[in-house]
Amino acid sequence: MADPATVRRALAAQRIETPSWAFGNSGTRFKVFAQAGVPRNPQEKIADAATVHRFTGVAPTVALHIPWDKVDDYAELGAYATSLGVRIGAINTNVFQDDDYKLGSVTNPDAGVRRKATDHLLEAIDIMDRTGSRDLKLWFSDGLNYPGQDDLRNRQDRLAAALRETYDRLGAEQRILLEYKLFEPAFYATDIPDWGTSYAHCVELGEKATVCIDTGHHAPGTNIEFIVAFLLRQGKLGAFDFNSRFYADDDLMAGAADPFQLFRIMYEIVRAGALDPAYGINFMLDQCHNIEAKIPAIIRSVLNIQEATAKALLVDRDALGRAQNDGDVLEANSVLMDAYNTDVRPLLAQVRADAGLDPDPVRAYRRSGHQEKIVADRVGGQQAGWGA
Amino acid sequence: MADPATVRRALAAQRIETPSWAFGNSGTRFKVFAQAGVPRNPQEKIADAATVHRFTGVAPTVALHIPWDKVDDYAELGAYATSLGVRIGAINTNVFQDDDYKLGSVTNPDAGVRRKATDHLLEAIDIMDRTGSRDLKLWFSDGLNYPGQDDLRNRQDRLAAALRETYDRLGAEQRILLEYKLFEPAFYATDIPDWGTSYAHCVELGEKATVCIDTGHHAPGTNIEFIVAFLLRQGKLGAFDFNSRFYADDDLMAGAADPFQLFRIMYEIVRAGALDPAYGINFMLDQCHNIEAKIPAIIRSVLNIQEATAKALLVDRDALGRAQNDGDVLEANSVLMDAYNTDVRPLLAQVRADAGLDPDPVRAYRRSGHQEKIVADRVGGQQAGWGA
Amino acid sequence: MADPATVRRALAAQRIETPSWAFGNSGTRFKVFAQAGVPRNPQEKIADAATVHRFTGVAPTVALHIPWDKVDDYAELGAYATSLGVRIGAINTNVFQDDDYKLGSVTNPDAGVRRKATDHLLEAIDIMDRTGSRDLKLWFSDGLNYPGQDDLRNRQDRLAAALRETYDRLGAEQRILLEYKLFEPAFYATDIPDWGTSYAHCVELGEKATVCIDTGHHAPGTNIEFIVAFLLRQGKLGAFDFNSRFYADDDLMAGAADPFQLFRIMYEIVRAGALDPAYGINFMLDQCHNIEAKIPAIIRSVLNIQEATAKALLVDRDALGRAQNDGDVLEANSVLMDAYNTDVRPLLAQVRADAGLDPDPVRAYRRSGHQEKIVADRVGGQQAGWGA
Amino acid sequence: MADPATVRRALAAQRIETPSWAFGNSGTRFKVFAQAGVPRNPQEKIADAATVHRFTGVAPTVALHIPWDKVDDYAELGAYATSLGVRIGAINTNVFQDDDYKLGSVTNPDAGVRRKATDHLLEAIDIMDRTGSRDLKLWFSDGLNYPGQDDLRNRQDRLAAALRETYDRLGAEQRILLEYKLFEPAFYATDIPDWGTSYAHCVELGEKATVCIDTGHHAPGTNIEFIVAFLLRQGKLGAFDFNSRFYADDDLMAGAADPFQLFRIMYEIVRAGALDPAYGINFMLDQCHNIEAKIPAIIRSVLNIQEATAKALLVDRDALGRAQNDGDVLEANSVLMDAYNTDVRPLLAQVRADAGLDPDPVRAYRRSGHQEKIVADRVGGQQAGWGA
């Protein structure tokens, strides 16, 4: 059985990065429902991330999205974050919202558009230099809606060229997190549709390029923990974008749709010794809280990941290994399920109490009056959303 | 073998309804790419529909979407349509774009929201009285993003009540087309997720309620032509929303993703004698041309449906029936494939020529200079999109 | 909060039916791995079912499969079951394993094959008369592998005729459980592919025909608890075939693939008051233990269903209803998850202790030496499998 | 437009390899329907393959499956094949049908089982030495049915070791074709579930290891032609196992389920210049004709691939490239569809006539009386199937 003190230490040391954009408005193509109290600028988004960290204690960094979080002075923004107890994390690029990108960004048949898109990626590294960020997250919406629309292979060549140029601009401590996604917004073919494509490009680029797994970006039936285990074995797992889904890229709260799957993913992380922040994986959230309040939804997501992690840490790995080696299918499954079926909320409450936190962050946030305060304060101005 | 003259007659008599909103801008949650020349009001949408009809000869009606196509005087709008050679078809309702509908419309836990939503449905029938429309198309985005968010069964009771009130308001010649959809914008549960749910409600409502099949609204692997055949047998197939998809509700041009599937669907229509407009099925398009030009995309979609229909009409049903009854799997499949593998473009060119149309509507439209004209003319104002 | 005594009473009263065939060998098309100790005749299968009941206390009935469990004297077989503390439950028919059924059974284009298949269904009712069974479970593997192979609609007519004849033969207390399945063994079209088809036939047949939900028979992404809630509302849910799946009809142990889904299903049962055996739903298992030991796998499946049920019973429905009516998405989800996250094993251990059972049936079975005993005893003869 | 003579030459030069096992009986876990006239030994399977080649002219090689096609003297078997006008192609291994392999072959936790499985792979290379085969096809059914059953990463290490040992045994002109498959017979995790896993292992192994794409082995919604294009770019596409599917690994006739997809796949082949046999791709069939006659089903499959290829060759690549570079979505799609919509049967009839073949191989086979002859001749003995 896992040593309780070790489990508590691991849970106390766990780190989850929140995304600035999840605090702003989001929605579907049918409607974006605006919510009272959402941030109106990067500073307010960072303040919200700091609020999540204040209540959970494990979310000390916040990812930015350029240009949505563009500011004149990133040093000042970083200092502001520090003043609130958090730091700026990964820099996310955006090459999907300009009219130029209708037929692609770095894979566009038009060389001028490719140049513009690549320049944006390079600019993001400039920003990283100023924010001290380690991670450049690249997601390309590039793809095709119709067979024949463009040449699949030419687009790979263009993609490789842009990645190479971007990679070569990275500083010694910087790295690329290369995301993949099955579909949306492209509906026939996506230029990086699966982990294999991302992996192959990362191998060609070099050791500073690693794969980012968004848990909502797979075909139905995909065994995500297998990909986690495989990429860990290859030394190419750089980050997660956590969220959950029932159908497509639903971007629901992590752990909301299939908590057992999240547990299995975290088990592979624990099994590989990759939970420790020193290992280098960036555990990020990437979610859309279309109908629920943003800050408590993110707190809940952090808690869901913590609970899955706690269960993963509780797996009796000696007993599991014995049963596996004995070929005892039922016993091996049972050992894993014993951990999953454990109610870890008391354990996490203890970990939080040890850290001087309220044992129930969701209730504590509700009681704090913070939501009412931001609703009252954040009046006027332009609410943040995917366009800003 | 099918009689050539009969086939040509059937093709000449085929009717496809175009949707006003497909001429406006559309996109994904990531970006709506605006296109030059899109309509700025219901009149210009109707003009675009009339253009499609002028080149294809089989699209004489255009569906409206309320409130996007709201006008003060529907009689005047109808007269305008008539002046362009088309008529107003189905009236589509919209109970998903007001802030009130964040947690549902007719299934909302709040009685006031339900009242408002139902009133909108009744108002749509008022409009039908004025436009002379037969069909009220009901699509509800209602559903849940999270387990527990609301009670699945209570929502069915609320849905049934709203449907009943709406049904009872229908005139003698009017009817409900009840759409279903697997997911989006709701991500955990949708209140009418499949044909079975729509069918069960329609049976309870009565003979003026029928199911509308949107070809993009199914789970992966669903055999759509089976649903077509089954609903025809039950007398409950009222309409199609044609489009095509690779993954989700991609809303691509009909026939673009799986032309063989479209052929199989049209074969079931032909086999049931349901192609004839007198049968009463409304064959509508419901598409989003996010990156391609709108009018030619709709012309292409009409052509794709015509080609699938022509192939379906060419099936040698005597030979097919013999092979089926003999249990000759390969021969039966072969008879069907013979029709599918036929190049029906010459046949359709002939049908068009007989009707005084250009045999190649896409090229004819390109040559006509019409696209350049609307791009030049439609400057200023507010482009139509899903919000208007 | 749910009253503890009520919860314990409900759990003590819960009933799950085991399938005789799950105790025999099974596998995939690639290989059936034989296991030592599996039954060699209906009596030994019933003995295994009785063993499951002895350790769990909630599985007092066993479903038979005809002809695999055909005997000369069903009264004698029933008496044997009674002597072991169990009873014969549903009668399952088999119209898929004779060479005649290659192209279908009741939907076969050949009238002679249809007659033979229907006669088998009638014979099963004869057997029910003798076993005192209430439930006739009908699963038809009928379908097509290739487009055009047979006429989809004709097959529905043939299906309806066979169902009608079978229905009319039912005794006053007997009923039909009509199963549906997306695919396999048919790969292009299945004649009853979804709940809607089964439902429509059941409505036409009458009140003694109800739908059976096999939890592994759906398209990817199908919300099964919605179907449960909907059929309960329509009064047409007759039974479950529980099992779990990651991809297709995997027939794994119930609760093994998605325990959260099983909980959501059981919640809809509890919410509708349908857990009580008096309500009339037959909660059956239908599984294939291809690589794990049969009896303990079935015990584990029973336990998994009990745990999901216990969690469903623990949902604070007052608090849930309040949050739902308030439109408090996060709170409503949280109330549901509180119950799901509870470790119900101690509660179930207590329920078992109260019933004079070992609190841990899996361990108790392991300790009992029963597995070793049947392995030693059941030597020679023909092991049971899907062919017998 | 493609030059007609070039197209005809390419079609005349195309080569498709047939699988010996497809001529034997096959089925689902529910039932294997035996067919009259199926082969009873490797020689008769080769004779059937020769028959397919005699009627189609493009299928001069036949893949063997060991141990199903085990013989004492492979030189003699090869000579027999040559005498019938065909040659022995790829050697397929089988490490899934012995009882030892219940929990895996090369990934089994038991070292003895792994040794046995690896020895079988090495033995297959011995056979290749004698048959002169170039290709060793490796498919591993290895995987897990339940979470926790075994350690995902340990299994990769074991897999890598066995692959390495096998690779090192290859002769200078021999190579590995490494297959992947989403699921079945394993239902929770498969050790090589996707192309990325196969690709990563092949890269590590070296240039003699390449990926084999079975068109039925993907998750729903997977864009297979993207994988084709990507692997061609990486120089790692070694072979196809063609078949078609609606749901899972249905193993239907190639081109039967989605002929448009097959065309898109063949277009990527043509576009990369990879159709020419000299390029080195092995275009194999891997199908199960469960309900239809074997030989004509395989002839039909060959024809379907030829038709898809012919259409791919007819694509006006200059026009396509222009439209793509212009960003003309509709025109580019239209150029592709023009080729797809062409009836290529007359063209292929001409190619066959030029080669001295009957222009309609299916009808020619029917007329030949060959089926009746093998039904009459092949009486007694043990019919071939997946077990032999």
Side-chain angles (χ1 to χ4, degrees):
Chain A
M1 195 60 181
D3 171 57
T6 306
V7 169
R8 285 199 301 272
R9 254 197 313 276
L11 290 170
Q14 184 173 22
R15 292 295 171 261
I16 296 164
E17 183 161 311
T18 57
S20 71
W21 57 94
F23 298 102
N25 287 322
S26 62
T28 69
R29 60 174 168 149
F30 295 100
K31 169 74 175 173
V32 175
F33 293 102
Q35 293 190 13
V38 306
R40 295 160 301 173
N41 53 49
Q43 288 77 10
E44 290 183 351
K45 294 184 208 170
I46 289 175
D48 285 0
T51 298
V52 170
H53 183 50
R54 198 163 66 245
F55 283 92
T56 64
V58 296
T61 58
V62 52
L64 298 189
H65 189 114
I66 305 301
W68 300 341
D69 296 322
K70 215 164 184 172
V71 293
D72 290 333
D73 188 335
Y74 289 96
E76 192 181 311
L77 191 70
Y80 177 72
T82 306
S83 77
L84 298 178
V86 293
R87 281 171 296 113
I88 292 172
I91 299 299
N92 289 259
T93 53
N94 178 323
V95 285
F96 56 87
Q97 279 195 323
D98 283 5
D99 285 331
D100 283 333
Y101 299 140
K102 188 166 80 166
L103 300 181
S105 64
V106 295
T107 66
N108 199 298
D110 184 304
V113 176
R114 296 202 297 274
R115 185 67 259 152
K116 171 180 166 173
T118 308
D119 284 343
H120 173 73
L121 307 185
L122 301 177
E123 177 201 5
I125 304 179
D126 292 340
I127 293 172
M128 292 167 66
D129 290 342
R130 284 174 270 156
T131 57
S133 295
R134 178 188 59 178
D135 293 340
L136 176 68
K137 179 133 73 74
L138 301 180
W139 173 61
F140 300 103
S141 72
D142 294 52
L144 311 175
N145 273 8
Y146 292 102
Q149 177 186 329
D150 198 3
D151 187 274
L152 291 172
R153 182 158 167 181
N154 289 348
R155 292 175 77 90
Q156 288 299 316
D157 293 338
R158 299 170 196 151
L159 171 63
L163 288 174
R164 169 54 59 199
E165 186 175 347
T166 306
Y167 185 89
D168 289 344
R169 166 67 183 83
L170 290 174
E173 303 301 317
Q174 293 172 337
R175 60 180 191 167
I176 281 175
L177 306 176
L178 189 55
E179 201 165 340
Y180 58 91
K181 183 174 184 181
L182 180 67
F183 81 101
E184 197 213 20
F187 292 129
Y188 159 61
T190 298
D191 291 316
I192 310 184
D194 53 20
W195 76 264
T197 307
S198 176
Y199 171 80
H201 280 289
C202 286
V203 167
E204 286 178 9
L205 288 171
E207 61 180 16
K208 291 190 286 188
T210 57
V211 179
C212 174
I213 297 177
D214 184 305
T215 49
H217 287 188
H218 303 86
T222 302
N223 182 325
I224 299 175
E225 61 267 28
F226 176 88
I227 300 173
V228 172
F230 194 88
L231 287 174
L232 285 167
R233 183 180 184 272
Q234 307 298 110
K236 278 294 183 192
L237 177 55
F240 281 93
D241 270 0
F242 280 113
N243 52 59
S244 70
R245 57 80 74 96
F246 288 93
Y247 302 101
D249 186 29
D250 305 345
D251 280 333
L252 301 173
M253 300 188 295
D258 189 345
F260 184 41
Q261 181 188 60
L262 182 57
F263 160 75
R264 300 191 311 260
I265 290 171
M266 294 314 302
Y267 174 73
E268 293 303 325
I269 293 292
V270 167
R271 182 244 176 265
L275 183 64
D276 189 327
Y279 189 95
I281 293 178
N282 191 347
F283 297 92
M284 300 180 286
L285 292 175
D286 182 10
Q287 305 183 158
C288 293
H289 307 295
N290 297 346
I291 60 168
E292 69 273 24
K294 317 283 182 183
I295 294 176
I298 295 176
I299 293 176
R300 168 62 64 196
S301 305
V302 169
L303 269 49
N304 285 349
I305 294 175
Q306 287 185 295
E307 291 174 20
T309 307
K311 293 178 177 193
L313 288 162
L314 287 178
V315 171
D316 185 340
R317 291 179 54 193
D318 290 339
L320 182 62
R322 275 194 305 275
Q324 290 174 340
N325 287 332
D326 291 350
D328 189 337
V329 176
L330 288 170
E331 178 64 16
N333 175 248
S334 178
V335 170
L336 193 79
M337 296 311 290
D338 270 349
Y340 178 68
N341 286 325
T342 303
D343 188 342
V344 294
R345 291 173 298 177
L347 167 62
L348 281 160
Q350 186 58 51
V351 170
R352 288 183 196 116
D354 291 349
L357 297 164
D358 190 288
D360 186 339
V362 168
R363 300 279 167 225
Y365 178 76
R366 290 222 168 196
R367 276 195 317 269
S368 72
H370 186 269
Q371 188 72 29
E372 292 74 13
K373 186 174 176 333
I374 56 177
V375 167
D377 289 354
R378 296 175 178 173
V379 173
Q382 172 72 39
Q383 291 195 317
W386 279 19
Chain B
M1 195 58 180
D3 171 59
T6 307
V7 169
R8 285 200 302 272
R9 252 196 317 273
L11 289 169
Q14 184 173 23
R15 291 296 171 260
I16 296 165
E17 183 161 311
T18 57
S20 70
W21 56 95
F23 297 102
N25 288 320
S26 62
T28 69
R29 59 173 170 151
F30 295 100
K31 171 73 175 172
V32 174
F33 294 102
Q35 293 190 15
V38 307
R40 296 162 299 172
N41 53 48
Q43 287 77 11
E44 290 183 352
K45 295 184 208 172
I46 288 175
D48 285 1
T51 299
V52 171
H53 182 50
R54 197 163 68 245
F55 284 92
T56 64
V58 294
T61 57
V62 51
L64 300 189
H65 189 115
I66 305 300
W68 301 342
D69 295 323
K70 214 163 182 171
V71 293
D72 289 333
D73 189 334
Y74 290 95
E76 191 180 312
L77 192 70
Y80 177 72
T82 306
S83 76
L84 298 178
V86 292
R87 281 172 295 112
I88 292 172
I91 299 298
N92 287 259
T93 52
N94 179 324
V95 284
F96 56 86
Q97 278 195 323
D98 283 5
D99 286 331
D100 281 333
Y101 299 139
K102 187 165 80 165
L103 301 181
S105 64
V106 295
T107 67
N108 199 298
D110 184 304
V113 176
R114 296 201 297 274
R115 184 68 259 151
K116 171 179 165 173
T118 308
D119 283 344
H120 173 72
L121 307 185
L122 300 178
E123 177 201 4
I125 303 178
D126 291 341
I127 293 172
M128 292 167 66
D129 290 341
R130 281 173 273 157
T131 58
S133 296
R134 177 190 60 178
D135 292 340
L136 175 68
K137 177 132 73 73
L138 302 180
W139 173 61
F140 300 103
S141 73
D142 295 50
L144 311 175
N145 273 8
Y146 292 103
Q149 177 185 328
D150 198 2
D151 187 274
L152 292 172
R153 182 157 165 182
N154 288 346
R155 291 174 78 91
Q156 288 299 316
D157 293 338
R158 298 170 196 150
L159 171 63
L163 288 174
R164 169 55 58 200
E165 186 176 345
T166 306
Y167 185 90
D168 288 345
R169 165 69 183 80
L170 291 174
E173 302 302 316
Q174 293 172 336
R175 59 181 192 167
I176 282 176
L177 307 176
L178 188 56
E179 201 165 340
Y180 58 93
K181 184 175 183 182
L182 180 67
F183 81 101
E184 196 212 19
F187 292 129
Y188 158 61
T190 298
D191 291 315
I192 310 184
D194 54 19
W195 76 265
T197 307
S198 177
Y199 170 79
H201 280 289
C202 287
V203 167
E204 287 177 9
L205 287 171
E207 62 179 15
K208 289 190 286 187
T210 57
V211 179
C212 174
I213 297 178
D214 184 304
T215 51
H217 287 190
H218 304 85
T222 301
N223 182 324
I224 299 175
E225 62 267 29
F226 175 87
I227 300 173
V228 172
F230 194 88
L231 286 175
L232 284 168
R233 182 180 185 272
Q234 306 299 109
K236 278 294 183 191
L237 178 55
F240 281 93
D241 269 359
F242 281 113
N243 51 58
S244 72
R245 58 81 75 99
F246 288 93
Y247 302 102
D249 185 28
D250 304 346
D251 279 334
L252 301 172
M253 298 187 297
D258 189 346
F260 183 41
Q261 181 188 60
L262 182 57
F263 160 74
R264 301 191 311 260
I265 290 170
M266 294 313 302
Y267 173 72
E268 293 303 324
I269 293 292
V270 168
R271 181 246 178 263
L275 183 64
D276 189 327
Y279 189 94
I281 293 180
N282 191 346
F283 297 91
M284 301 180 285
L285 292 175
D286 182 10
Q287 305 183 157
C288 292
H289 308 295
N290 298 345
I291 61 169
E292 69 273 23
K294 317 284 182 183
I295 294 175
I298 295 176
I299 293 175
R300 167 63 63 198
S301 306
V302 168
L303 268 50
N304 286 349
I305 294 175
Q306 286 185 294
E307 292 175 20
T309 307
K311 293 178 178 193
L313 288 162
L314 288 177
V315 171
D316 185 338
R317 291 177 57 193
D318 290 339
L320 182 62
R322 275 194 304 275
Q324 290 174 341
N325 287 331
D326 290 349
D328 189 338
V329 176
L330 288 170
E331 179 65 16
N333 175 248
S334 178
V335 170
L336 193 78
M337 296 311 292
D338 270 349
Y340 179 69
N341 287 325
T342 303
D343 189 342
V344 294
R345 292 173 298 178
L347 166 62
L348 281 160
Q350 186 59 51
V351 170
R352 288 184 196 113
D354 291 348
L357 296 164
D358 190 289
D360 186 339
V362 168
R363 300 279 167 227
Y365 179 77
R366 289 221 170 199
R367 276 196 317 269
S368 72
H370 186 268
Q371 188 73 29
E372 293 73 13
K373 184 174 179 331
I374 56 176
V375 167
D377 289 353
R378 295 176 179 174
V379 173
Q382 173 72 39
Q383 290 195 317
W386 279 18
Chain C
M1 195 61 180
D3 171 57
T6 307
V7 170
R8 284 200 301 272
R9 252 196 315 274
L11 290 169
Q14 183 174 23
R15 291 295 172 261
I16 296 165
E17 184 160 311
T18 57
S20 71
W21 56 95
F23 298 102
N25 289 319
S26 61
T28 68
R29 60 174 170 151
F30 295 100
K31 170 73 175 174
V32 174
F33 294 103
Q35 294 190 13
V38 307
R40 296 161 300 173
N41 53 49
Q43 288 76 12
E44 289 183 353
K45 294 184 210 173
I46 289 174
D48 285 0
T51 299
V52 171
H53 183 50
R54 198 163 67 245
F55 284 92
T56 63
V58 296
T61 58
V62 52
L64 299 189
H65 189 115
I66 305 301
W68 300 343
D69 296 322
K70 214 163 183 174
V71 293
D72 290 334
D73 188 335
Y74 290 95
E76 192 180 312
L77 191 69
Y80 177 71
T82 306
S83 77
L84 298 178
V86 292
R87 280 171 295 113
I88 292 172
I91 298 300
N92 288 259
T93 52
N94 179 323
V95 285
F96 56 87
Q97 280 194 324
D98 283 6
D99 285 331
D100 282 333
Y101 300 139
K102 188 166 79 166
L103 301 181
S105 64
V106 293
T107 66
N108 199 299
D110 184 303
V113 176
R114 294 201 298 274
R115 184 68 258 151
K116 171 180 166 172
T118 307
D119 283 344
H120 173 72
L121 307 186
L122 300 177
E123 176 201 5
I125 304 178
D126 292 341
I127 293 173
M128 291 168 67
D129 290 342
R130 283 173 271 157
T131 58
S133 296
R134 177 190 59 179
D135 293 341
L136 176 68
K137 179 133 73 70
L138 301 181
W139 172 61
F140 299 103
S141 72
D142 295 51
L144 312 175
N145 273 7
Y146 291 102
Q149 177 186 329
D150 198 3
D151 186 274
L152 292 172
R153 181 156 165 181
N154 289 346
R155 291 174 78 91
Q156 289 298 317
D157 293 338
R158 298 169 196 150
L159 171 63
L163 288 174
R164 169 56 56 200
E165 184 175 349
T166 306
Y167 186 89
D168 288 345
R169 165 67 183 81
L170 290 174
E173 302 302 317
Q174 294 172 337
R175 61 181 192 166
I176 281 176
L177 306 177
L178 187 56
E179 201 165 340
Y180 59 91
K181 185 176 184 181
L182 180 67
F183 81 101
E184 194 212 23
F187 292 129
Y188 158 61
T190 298
D191 291 316
I192 310 183
D194 53 19
W195 76 264
T197 307
S198 177
Y199 171 79
H201 279 290
C202 286
V203 167
E204 286 177 8
L205 287 171
E207 62 179 15
K208 290 191 284 188
T210 57
V211 179
C212 175
I213 297 177
D214 185 303
T215 50
H217 287 189
H218 303 86
T222 302
N223 182 326
I224 300 175
E225 61 268 28
F226 175 88
I227 300 173
V228 172
F230 194 87
L231 286 174
L232 285 167
R233 182 180 185 272
Q234 307 299 109
K236 278 295 184 190
L237 178 56
F240 282 93
D241 270 0
F242 281 113
N243 52 58
S244 71
R245 56 79 76 96
F246 288 94
Y247 302 102
D249 186 28
D250 304 346
D251 280 334
L252 302 173
M253 298 187 297
D258 190 345
F260 183 41
Q261 182 187 60
L262 182 56
F263 160 74
R264 299 193 311 261
I265 290 170
M266 294 314 302
Y267 174 72
E268 294 303 325
I269 294 291
V270 167
R271 182 247 177 265
L275 184 64
D276 189 327
Y279 188 95
I281 293 178
N282 191 347
F283 297 91
M284 301 180 285
L285 292 174
D286 182 10
Q287 305 183 157
C288 292
H289 308 295
N290 298 346
I291 61 168
E292 69 272 24
K294 317 283 184 185
I295 294 175
I298 295 175
I299 293 176
R300 167 63 65 198
S301 306
V302 168
L303 269 49
N304 286 348
I305 294 174
Q306 287 185 294
E307 292 175 20
T309 307
K311 293 178 178 194
L313 288 162
L314 288 177
V315 171
D316 185 340
R317 291 178 56 193
D318 291 338
L320 182 62
R322 275 193 305 276
Q324 291 174 340
N325 288 331
D326 291 349
D328 189 338
V329 176
L330 288 170
E331 179 64 17
N333 176 248
S334 179
V335 170
L336 193 80
M337 296 311 290
D338 269 350
Y340 179 68
N341 286 325
T342 303
D343 188 343
V344 294
R345 291 173 299 177
L347 167 63
L348 281 160
Q350 185 60 50
V351 169
R352 287 182 197 114
D354 291 349
L357 297 164
D358 189 290
D360 186 338
V362 168
R363 300 280 167 225
Y365 179 77
R366 288 221 169 198
R367 276 196 317 269
S368 73
H370 185 268
Q371 188 73 28
E372 293 74 12
K373 186 176 177 330
I374 57 176
V375 167
D377 288 355
R378 295 175 178 176
V379 173
Q382 173 71 38
Q383 290 194 316
W386 279 18
Chain D
M1 196 58 182
D3 171 59
T6 307
V7 169
R8 285 199 301 273
R9 252 196 316 274
L11 289 169
Q14 182 173 24
R15 291 295 172 263
I16 296 164
E17 183 160 312
T18 57
S20 71
W21 56 96
F23 298 102
N25 288 320
S26 61
T28 69
R29 60 173 168 150
F30 295 99
K31 170 74 174 174
V32 175
F33 293 102
Q35 294 190 14
V38 307
R40 295 160 301 173
N41 53 47
Q43 288 77 11
E44 290 183 352
K45 295 184 209 174
I46 288 174
D48 286 0
T51 298
V52 170
H53 183 51
R54 198 164 66 246
F55 283 92
T56 64
V58 295
T61 58
V62 52
L64 298 189
H65 189 115
I66 306 300
W68 300 342
D69 295 322
K70 214 163 183 172
V71 294
D72 289 332
D73 189 334
Y74 290 95
E76 192 180 313
L77 192 69
Y80 177 72
T82 306
S83 77
L84 298 178
V86 292
R87 282 171 296 110
I88 292 173
I91 299 299
N92 288 260
T93 52
N94 179 321
V95 285
F96 56 85
Q97 280 195 323
D98 283 5
D99 285 331
D100 282 332
Y101 299 139
K102 187 166 78 165
L103 302 180
S105 65
V106 295
T107 67
N108 199 298
D110 184 304
V113 176
R114 295 201 297 274
R115 185 67 259 151
K116 171 179 166 175
T118 308
D119 283 344
H120 173 73
L121 307 185
L122 300 177
E123 178 201 4
I125 304 178
D126 292 341
I127 293 172
M128 291 167 67
D129 290 341
R130 281 173 272 157
T131 57
S133 296
R134 176 188 61 176
D135 293 340
L136 176 67
K137 179 132 72 73
L138 302 180
W139 172 61
F140 299 103
S141 73
D142 294 51
L144 311 176
N145 274 8
Y146 292 102
Q149 177 186 328
D150 198 2
D151 187 274
L152 292 172
R153 181 155 164 184
N154 289 347
R155 292 174 78 91
Q156 288 298 316
D157 293 338
R158 297 169 197 150
L159 170 63
L163 288 174
R164 169 56 57 199
E165 187 176 346
T166 306
Y167 185 90
D168 289 345
R169 165 69 183 81
L170 290 174
E173 303 301 317
Q174 292 172 338
R175 59 180 192 167
I176 281 175
L177 307 176
L178 187 56
E179 201 165 340
Y180 59 91
K181 184 175 184 181
L182 180 67
F183 82 101
E184 198 212 20
F187 292 128
Y188 158 62
T190 297
D191 290 317
I192 309 183
D194 52 20
W195 75 265
T197 307
S198 177
Y199 170 79
H201 279 289
C202 286
V203 168
E204 286 178 9
L205 287 171
E207 61 180 15
K208 291 190 285 189
T210 57
V211 179
C212 174
I213 297 177
D214 184 305
T215 49
H217 287 190
H218 303 87
T222 300
N223 182 325
I224 299 176
E225 61 267 28
F226 175 88
I227 300 173
V228 172
F230 194 88
L231 287 174
L232 285 167
R233 182 181 184 272
Q234 306 299 108
K236 278 294 184 193
L237 178 55
F240 281 92
D241 270 0
F242 281 113
N243 52 58
S244 70
R245 55 81 76 94
F246 288 93
Y247 301 101
D249 186 28
D250 304 346
D251 280 335
L252 302 173
M253 300 189 297
D258 190 346
F260 183 42
Q261 182 188 60
L262 183 56
F263 160 74
R264 299 191 312 259
I265 290 171
M266 294 314 301
Y267 173 73
E268 293 302 324
I269 293 293
V270 167
R271 181 247 177 264
L275 183 64
D276 189 326
Y279 189 95
I281 292 178
N282 192 346
F283 297 91
M284 301 180 286
L285 292 175
D286 182 10
Q287 305 183 158
C288 292
H289 308 295
N290 298 346
I291 60 168
E292 69 272 23
K294 317 284 183 183
I295 293 176
I298 295 176
I299 293 175
R300 167 63 63 196
S301 305
V302 169
L303 269 49
N304 285 348
I305 294 175
Q306 287 185 294
E307 292 174 20
T309 307
K311 293 177 177 194
L313 288 162
L314 288 178
V315 171
D316 184 340
R317 290 179 55 193
D318 291 338
L320 182 62
R322 275 195 305 274
Q324 291 175 339
N325 287 331
D326 291 348
D328 189 337
V329 176
L330 288 171
E331 178 64 17
N333 175 248
S334 178
V335 171
L336 193 79
M337 296 311 291
D338 270 350
Y340 180 68
N341 286 325
T342 303
D343 188 342
V344 294
R345 292 173 299 176
L347 166 63
L348 281 161
Q350 185 60 50
V351 170
R352 288 184 196 114
D354 291 348
L357 295 164
D358 189 289
D360 186 339
V362 168
R363 301 277 168 228
Y365 178 77
R366 289 222 169 198
R367 277 196 315 268
S368 72
H370 186 268
Q371 189 72 29
E372 293 73 13
K373 183 176 179 329
I374 57 177
V375 167
D377 287 355
R378 295 175 179 175
V379 172
Q382 173 70 41
Q383 290 195 317
W386 279 19

